[in-house]
Amino acid sequence: MAAAGSRPPRVLSATVRFERGRWFVSFQVEVQRADPVPARPGESVGVDLGISHLAVLSTPVPDVTDENGFVANPRHLDAAQKRLRRASRRVSRRCGPDTRTGRKPSNRWRKANHDRNRLLHRVANLRRDGLHKLTTALTSRFGTVVVEDLNVSGMLKNRRLARHLADAGFGEVRRQLDYKTRWRGGRLHVADRWFPSSKMCSGCGAVKAKLPLRVRAFHCEQCDLVLDRDVNAACNLARLVQVGGSGTGVAADPDTQVSNGRRSRRKTPPCGADGVDASTPQRVSASDGDHPLVTVDCGAGVLTHAHSIRNGSVE
Ligand SMILES: [Zn+2]
């Protein structure tokens, strides 16, 4: 994938890991590449992440959202849940490994476990595919992406929400937007956790004192604006950048970290601390297997990208 005339990618390190019965090896490589700049570098988009919809955008994007800006949540885990439950039941009925007594798993257990792992891999791959398509679509169109600083780990403690939230992959969306905006010279703006994106009117700026979660439509008493709750929130996020407003940080700028006193943000982002500069080599970490050029899967299922190794041979 390296452009003609540039240096070939240099492998810096490799990490092997075993996950759900498959082996993966990820390479950290240094590549020289210039990602195309966003189609609309001057524009910003507000992204409101949710559960009923994976995301709501302030501006509808063809092929990504419907005409109102909603990105459907595919809920892969829910769809697979029935089959997963059945597969897990079969695994637990069979004679599995026991570290205490040193018992080896039966062949029937291995087989059942393999079937369950296949299902889990499928859910994980579908989820990853969907999130990558969304984040690539956003960063290739808009120069600035604005998201809320959601307290994901706190929300995961809510037992009712946890599974749906983890399935929607909020944390992953934010991580991908962070490095993809950087690659393209755009920026990710993270709104303060206490920014009233839902309670504020995107038309006149009036802030409601209360807006319970079950109220799905935003109705402004000041200017009579009626809008979907999440669309209103997304518009507020987009406006936050246009008016140069009160967000607490620009994630693409390593000097300005998101800060609200709660938890210090990781100082070094996953893909390296440098801003994008097409003329300098970029160090790309693919430790969690999301960089198309460098992700290699040695297992039975091979990722769709550039180099893949199957049974030890490079295809
Ligand atoms: Zn209003």
Side-chain angles (χ1 to χ4, degrees):
M1 254 191 239
S6 65
R7 280 188 293 136
R10 201 160 65 92
V11 177
L12 301 173
S13 68
T15 309
V16 178
R17 72 184 197 282
F18 186 71
E19 217 171 66
R20 295 177 233 106
R22 282 183 195 181
W23 288 96
F24 294 84
V25 50
S26 311
F27 294 102
Q28 187 181 47
V29 294
E30 200 173 54
V31 282
Q32 200 164 28
R33 50 177 241 178
D35 283 292
V37 293
R40 298 181 233 163
E43 278 183 45
S44 60
V45 64
V47 182
D48 183 73
L49 298 171
I51 291 175
S52 55
H53 293 91
L54 180 57
V56 180
L57 309 185
S58 57
T59 316
V61 176
D63 302 329
V64 180
T65 68
D66 63 10
E67 68 276 11
N68 296 316
F70 291 94
V71 183
N73 185 353
R75 297 203 186 212
H76 301 297
L77 187 58
D78 283 4
Q81 200 59 248
K82 201 174 156 190
R83 290 165 68 199
L84 258 176
R85 254 197 291 263
R86 194 182 302 153
S88 293
R89 231 176 4 241
R90 194 180 299 139
V91 172
S92 55
R93 275 199 300 257
R94 296 184 176 181
C95 202
D98 192 333
T99 46
R100 212 161 24 104
T101 60
R103 187 181 67 194
K104 293 256 166 63
S106 70
N107 281 333
R108 294 177 79 243
W109 182 90
R110 280 184 215 272
K111 219 176 135 197
N113 193 45
H114 175 79
D115 290 346
R116 176 174 61 178
N117 281 338
R118 269 176 57 103
L119 280 172
L120 287 171
H121 272 294
R122 187 179 150 72
V123 172
N125 289 345
L126 285 169
R127 176 187 305 153
R128 186 160 58 199
D129 183 55
L131 295 184
H132 271 297
K133 280 178 180 153
L134 172 65
T135 53
T136 299
L138 289 175
T139 52
S140 64
R141 280 175 178 81
F142 300 97
T144 307
V145 181
V146 192
V147 293
E148 259 177 307
D149 183 19
L150 289 171
N151 178 8
V152 176
S153 55
M155 285 158 86
L156 282 174
K157 287 189 187 126
N158 180 332
R159 286 174 53 210
R160 286 195 176 161
L161 286 177
R163 187 165 52 85
H164 298 291
L165 281 171
D167 190 34
F170 286 177
E172 184 61 14
V173 169
R174 161 105 171 257
R175 194 186 68 80
Q176 289 179 11
L177 285 174
D178 189 13
Y179 74 74
K180 286 185 185 178
T181 45
R182 213 190 306 259
W183 280 356
R184 292 168 177 274
R187 65 190 186 122
L188 175 71
H189 189 94
V190 180
D192 189 289
R193 190 170 295 172
W194 312 114
F195 174 68
S197 62
S198 296
K199 290 178 191 152
M200 194 196 276
C201 170
S202 60
C204 68
V207 180
K208 279 176 187 282
K210 256 188 189 167
L211 185 67
L213 254 178
R214 64 189 144 76
V215 181
R216 300 314 303 170
F218 184 94
H219 179 218
C220 178
E221 283 90 14
Q222 310 288 321
C223 67
D224 257 355
L225 177 89
V226 180
L227 205 58
D228 178 89
R229 176 201 180 94
D230 296 331
V231 175
N232 180 58
C235 291
N236 278 327
L237 289 171
R239 259 167 36 116
L240 193 61
V241 173
Q242 286 152 16
V243 296
S246 65
T248 43
V250 180
D253 178 356
D255 298 329
T256 329
Q257 295 295 334
V258 177
S259 59
N260 48 22
R262 284 280 156 139
R263 242 173 87 197
S264 65
R265 216 173 143 272
R266 205 171 25 191
K267 281 279 182 278
T268 311
C271 57
D274 305 319
V276 168
D277 182 350
S279 63
T280 55
Q282 239 174 292
R283 182 172 283 198
V284 177
S285 161
S287 55
D288 38 11
D290 59 25
H291 189 263
L293 185 66
V294 293
T295 300
V296 178
D297 178 352
C298 292
V302 175
L303 297 180
T304 52
H305 303 307
H307 312 293
S308 41
I309 297 177
R310 191 176 265 165
N311 300 328
S313 64
V314 179
E315 290 180 346

